[in-house]
Amino acid sequence: SQQGEEDPQALSIQEGENATMNCSYKTSINNLQWYRQNSGRGLVHLILIRSNEREKHSGRLRVTLDTSKKSSSLLITASRAADTASYFCATGGRLDSSYKLIFGSGTRLLVRP
Amino acid sequence: NAGVMQNPRHLVRRRGQEARLRCSPMKGHSHVYWYRQLPEEGLKFMVYLQKENIIDESGMPKERFSAEFPKEGPSILRIQQVVRGDSAAYFCASSPPYEGVDEQYFGPGTRLTVT
């Protein structure tokens, strides 16, 4: 089963609005990361938040982490048409000597001009 | 500093043929990861390698799939006797060899189509 599950699966908003995506996970984590994937392309790393952090900002991105609820959220403020993409959360960090990332199934964001 | 490179970008194979996917990590990176992505799904971990060593292959199918990362040259993901279900995008990622760096840098992927 998936370690991370994003919610919603799809989101359509108007340019200028904020977009919020949520991610839930099941087991203990070292860190949680958010990636963006444009259609048919590779993944771009957006932001990493460690298990001892609660909130992190990067430009128009704001990520929160609640380890008690095993959930994270990604907020994109003042969205632009160029933000249209799929967004994935991934749990990772060094666990059992492995650095593998475990991805959720993603949120497909459409920003309408 | 070039990013992670993968080739070919697109690969078409007939059922029963072999597919060889290549990945060159970023300069200075000695950790390589392979992931598979089916349409409309997230990435699934396959294997984690360091130079000449397989560290974690818990996501690799038991048969037909193998991976290597030789001392010299790119990492290779090899799929023997491909079947239609192997059609997917295969992504390689790399990371540097020191502690405390958990971010992985992804290549553009190889899209495998099995006809």
Side-chain angles (χ1 to χ4, degrees):
Chain A
S1 61
Q2 292 282 353
Q3 165 74 323
E5 291 292 343
E6 285 89 343
D7 165 53
Q9 290 187 339
L11 181 61
S12 179
I13 60 173
Q14 201 71 36
E15 201 166 30
E17 293 179 337
N18 295 341
T20 300
M21 289 160 267
N22 302 298
C23 169
S24 60
Y25 57 91
K26 295 183 173 65
T27 63
S28 297
I29 61 170
N30 183 299
N31 64 68
L32 188 144
Q33 306 179 40
W34 285 90
Y35 286 82
R36 183 183 74 203
Q37 184 180 35
N38 289 80
S39 181
R41 308 288 291 274
L43 273 74
V44 174
H45 184 268
L46 295 177
I47 199 165
L48 179 152
I49 186 165
R50 300 198 181 279
S51 58
N52 61 353
E53 297 176 307
R54 292 295 167 261
E55 189 171 310
K56 206 160 184 180
H57 297 254
S58 176
R60 294 184 295 113
L61 305 180
R62 173 177 167 253
V63 168
T64 62
L65 180 64
D66 187 336
T67 52
S68 66
K69 294 181 180 177
K70 290 187 168 56
S71 67
S72 173
S73 67
L74 170 67
L75 168 68
I76 305 174
T77 60
S79 63
R80 305 166 181 166
D83 295 328
T84 294
S86 291
Y87 291 82
F88 296 92
C89 69
T91 53
R94 187 171 183 181
L95 297 170
D96 301 323
S97 302
S98 175
Y99 290 83
K100 66 186 178 189
L101 293 175
I102 302 176
F103 285 84
S105 51
T107 292
R108 279 158 281 286
L109 173 65
L110 171 65
V111 181
R112 304 186 304 275
Chain B
N1 187 7
V4 177
M5 301 178 69
Q6 290 187 249
N7 67 81
R9 294 291 305 275
H10 299 273
L11 182 62
V12 179
R13 285 287 178 265
R14 283 198 282 270
R15 278 179 297 170
Q17 292 185 317
E18 178 181 289
R20 291 171 70 89
L21 287 63
R22 295 175 184 75
C23 169
S24 296
M26 286 181 70
K27 187 176 179 181
H29 288 192
S30 59
H31 296 193
V32 166
Y33 316 80
W34 285 93
Y35 295 86
R36 177 165 65 176
Q37 184 179 35
L38 296 172
E40 305 300 318
E41 292 188 12
L43 278 70
K44 298 286 198 300
F45 169 79
M46 298 181 75
V47 62
Y48 161 41
L49 310 105
Q50 295 177 14
K51 286 282 187 181
E52 300 183 282
N53 280 306
I54 297 174
I55 308 301
D56 180 351
E57 56 181 346
S58 58
M60 288 279 271
K62 294 287 185 280
E63 297 177 347
R64 303 187 297 108
F65 285 72
S66 62
E68 63 176 8
F69 188 17
K71 189 177 179 181
E72 301 290 339
S75 175
I76 306 285
L77 178 67
R78 183 180 176 209
I79 311 172
Q80 295 178 291
Q81 299 176 316
V82 296
V83 301
R84 288 232 170 94
D86 297 331
S87 294
Y90 292 83
F91 290 95
C92 167
S94 71
S95 65
Y98 36 87
E99 291 287 330
V101 178
D102 297 314
E103 178 181 329
Q104 294 180 13
Y105 298 81
F106 281 81
T110 293
R111 277 149 189 83
L112 172 66
T113 301
V114 179
T115 61

